[in-house]
Amino acid sequence: MFPVRLAGVLIALAAPVLSQDRGSTAVMTAPAEQKPIADRIEALGTLRANESVELTANVTERVVETGFEDGSRVKKGDILLKLSSNEEAALLTEAASAAREALLQYERMEQLAARGTASTSQLDEARRVHETARARKLALESRLEELVIKAPFDGVVGLRNISVGALVQPGDLVTTIDDDSKMLLDFSVPSRFLAVVKPGMPIEASTGTYGGRFFHGTVHSLSSRVDPVTRSVMVRAEIPNNERLLLPGMLMKVDLLSRPREAVVIPESALLPVGKQNFAMVVGDSETGKKVTRREIKIGTRRRGEVEVVSGLSKGESVVTHGGFKLADGATVRVIPSIDAQQPAPKAQ
């Protein structure tokens, strides 16, 4: 008799627990969190170097020396190419000598004119000869400078298209040089966003080359004209390129971040849309356990897996993320851990 009574007591004690479990629904929940958020304007843009130049020859001459390799980094003033300058150097030596002699003659004539032994016309002629000789010397110096091609700024050079011994002519492409310390991203946005897009506005840009990595920058300037065909305006943003990962010509997806603010955010899976209305199942404590309340909320900006709640929900309140569609208002629920929480923690090495 004793074992039978004991079993009956055990069954009687377990019955309320089992009936309570059968009346509740297992759900997963998440808290409403306050996070920084912003409205996004999406666009596609093309990268340009901060400074970009095609280096070409200005004279017809033979190459005697190259000072760079394909893709090398150079500093402003580095010599990239030298052309033959023997004839120009000899002419410059002759012109420099003639300029010095003309200066001495002009100085002597000044002294004679001061003592009255030389006429004004003689002094003017000496001045003319001196200025002509000096101008010829400056012209030859300028020509010599054109025979040496230097880097106009710090940057990276492209492919070398000229070899030693080649005869170059005016307009022949030597190489390209790009200042890639920061990149310029040009993209167009509809003109209706002109009141929102301003210089200094933050952006996020991504490219398929680097997967899900985002590059951050700011809007630098806007075009002064709206395209009459597309009704869009060209926008230019600056993106730092310290790692030198971005290259001119790359296509990038751009997100402009307007109205940055702190807002209440919930997982997108907690949203229950009904027509033009949106609801969320809010979990609260009661005397008999946890119950849900079907509450209408007003939403704002959406982003990856999250949605902004403008009104109807406060920070810290718990909402149902899985199992909410089958719940009725006031239903009793049993909160179970999320899938991430059920994953075993990695063992310490």
Side-chain angles (χ1 to χ4, degrees):
M1 294 299 294
F2 179 77
V4 174
R5 289 181 183 177
L6 181 58
V9 172
L10 292 175
I11 293 172
L13 290 175
V17 178
L18 293 175
S19 62
Q20 183 178 355
D21 288 345
R22 289 194 189 99
S24 61
T25 304
V27 296
M28 296 182 186
T29 63
E33 300 177 330
Q34 188 168 357
K35 295 182 179 181
I37 198 169
D39 297 336
R40 291 176 179 265
I41 304 171
E42 296 184 353
L44 288 175
T46 303
L47 281 176
R48 297 176 59 251
N50 182 46
E51 300 288 348
S52 183
V53 172
E54 291 185 348
L55 299 176
T56 59
N58 296 328
V59 296
T60 301
E61 200 55 80
R62 195 169 300 278
V63 178
V64 296
E65 182 182 338
T66 58
F68 69 97
E69 296 296 333
D70 296 345
S72 60
R73 294 203 167 270
V74 296
K75 295 289 186 180
K76 180 180 179 180
D78 286 353
I79 296 177
L80 305 180
L81 196 73
K82 282 186 178 181
L83 304 179
S84 178
S85 59
N86 295 333
E87 181 180 355
E88 286 75 10
L91 293 174
L92 178 60
T93 302
E94 178 185 355
S97 177
R100 287 194 298 271
E101 180 63 25
L103 176 60
L104 292 175
Q105 292 295 335
Y106 174 62
E107 291 174 346
R108 293 191 192 100
M109 196 61 64
E110 276 188 322
Q111 295 174 0
L112 293 175
R115 293 196 295 266
T117 56
S119 64
T120 304
S121 60
Q122 290 176 317
L123 179 62
D124 292 342
E125 178 63 19
R127 182 186 297 112
R128 184 190 66 79
V129 172
H130 164 60
E131 291 178 351
T132 301
R134 188 165 64 91
R136 184 167 183 270
K137 175 176 173 290
L138 292 175
L140 287 170
E141 288 176 345
S142 177
R143 180 174 172 80
L144 272 176
E145 289 180 357
E146 291 181 348
L147 297 176
V148 178
I149 299 178
K150 299 180 180 180
F153 45 78
D154 296 354
V156 57
V157 295
L159 301 178
R160 177 164 58 86
N161 299 316
I162 299 295
S163 300
V164 174
L167 182 67
V168 297
Q169 297 180 351
D172 286 353
L173 179 64
V174 176
T175 188
T176 59
I177 180 171
D178 297 314
D179 174 14
D180 59 352
S181 59
K182 63 180 178 181
M183 304 299 290
L184 304 179
L185 182 60
D186 292 344
F187 55 94
S188 60
V189 297
S191 57
R192 67 176 182 273
F193 293 119
L194 277 175
V196 178
V197 181
K198 302 291 182 184
M201 183 177 179
I203 70 160
E204 284 182 353
S206 61
T207 173
T209 306
Y210 300 112
R213 179 167 180 175
F214 288 90
F215 299 86
H216 299 271
T218 56
V219 172
H220 178 263
S221 56
L222 285 78
S223 175
S224 60
R225 296 182 177 182
V226 175
D227 190 313
V229 177
T230 61
R231 301 301 177 188
S232 60
V233 62
M234 187 63 65
V235 181
R236 175 167 294 172
E238 290 184 351
I239 301 177
N241 192 28
N242 299 329
E243 299 180 60
R244 304 300 194 269
L245 296 177
L246 302 177
L247 301 178
M250 292 179 73
L251 180 68
M252 301 200 79
K253 180 175 178 272
V254 191
D255 286 333
L256 289 90
L257 309 178
S258 65
R259 293 199 312 121
R261 59 197 180 276
E262 293 287 329
V264 176
V265 175
I266 62 173
E268 199 169 19
S269 58
L271 197 63
L272 302 176
V274 179
K276 295 183 178 180
Q277 296 175 301
N278 290 282
F279 297 87
M281 287 298 187
V282 183
V283 180
D285 294 324
S286 68
E287 295 180 356
T288 59
K290 293 187 178 295
K291 290 189 175 183
V292 294
T293 303
R294 189 168 181 266
R295 188 184 301 176
E296 183 178 359
I297 60 175
K298 183 178 180 181
I299 65 172
T301 298
R302 291 173 180 257
R303 61 185 184 185
R304 303 174 194 88
E306 294 180 326
V307 60
E308 175 192 10
V309 178
V310 178
S311 63
L313 200 63
S314 301
K315 172 186 175 183
E317 290 189 289
S318 184
V319 294
V320 176
T321 58
H322 294 81
F325 281 100
K326 59 184 178 181
L327 291 176
D329 189 14
T332 302
V333 296
R334 184 177 73 258
V335 177
I336 63 174
S338 64
I339 296 175
D340 294 336
Q342 294 177 18
Q343 297 296 329
K347 296 181 180 180
Q349 296 296 327

